[in-house]
Amino acid sequence: MKTSLVLEIPESLKTTLESAGYSSADLSQEALRQLAVSLYRRKVLTLSQSAHLAHMSLWEFIPYLAQQGLDIVDYEPEELEHDLRAIAWSTKSRAQP
C-alpha cells in the first residue's frame, strides 16, 4: 500500500522554479528526499527506511546525507569510547598467538 501526499506550490513561484530548471518530477523527488532526511535526522526512520523513502540505494543516500551536513554515525562520546576500546581489545587478542 502506498500513501500519496499532494504538494501545492504557489502559482507565483512556478515561473521561478521552471526557470531554475525544476520540473514537477524534480520537485517531487526533492521533496521526498528532504522528507527522508528530516525523518532520519529526527530518528523517526532508520537509515535504510529513509533511503527507501527517498527512492535511493543506501550507497546513494549516505553521500546525500553528507551533502546535507548530516553524519550517519551518531555516537554519544561514552558509546564511542566503549566501542573503540572493544575494537582495540579485539585487535590485540587476535594479534596474540
Side-chain angles (χ1 to χ4, degrees):
M1 181 175 107
K2 286 187 177 184
T3 299
S4 296
L5 300 173
V6 176
L7 179 64
E8 293 185 17
I9 307 280
E11 190 67 32
S12 61
L13 299 177
K14 182 179 179 183
T15 304
T16 303
L17 293 169
E18 286 174 348
S19 65
Y22 283 98
S23 67
S24 292
D26 294 331
L27 290 171
S28 293
Q29 180 183 32
E30 184 66 21
L32 271 177
R33 287 180 177 185
Q34 289 303 313
L35 178 60
V37 168
S38 177
L39 293 173
Y40 176 73
R41 177 182 287 126
R42 290 185 287 148
K43 299 180 181 178
V44 174
L45 296 179
T46 66
L47 181 63
S48 178
Q49 290 170 328
S50 298
H52 184 67
L53 177 62
H55 298 286
M56 300 171 84
S57 71
L58 274 176
W59 309 120
E60 294 169 319
F61 192 64
I62 290 169
Y64 185 76
L65 287 175
Q67 291 171 353
Q68 305 302 308
L70 198 63
D71 298 325
I72 63 161
V73 178
D74 185 20
Y75 274 102
E76 294 293 325
E78 300 80 24
E79 251 186 295
L80 178 59
E81 187 177 327
H82 175 269
D83 286 357
L84 289 173
R85 274 194 250 122
I87 291 167
W89 178 83
S90 175
T91 304
K92 285 180 190 176
S93 65
R94 278 194 251 155
Q96 296 175 355

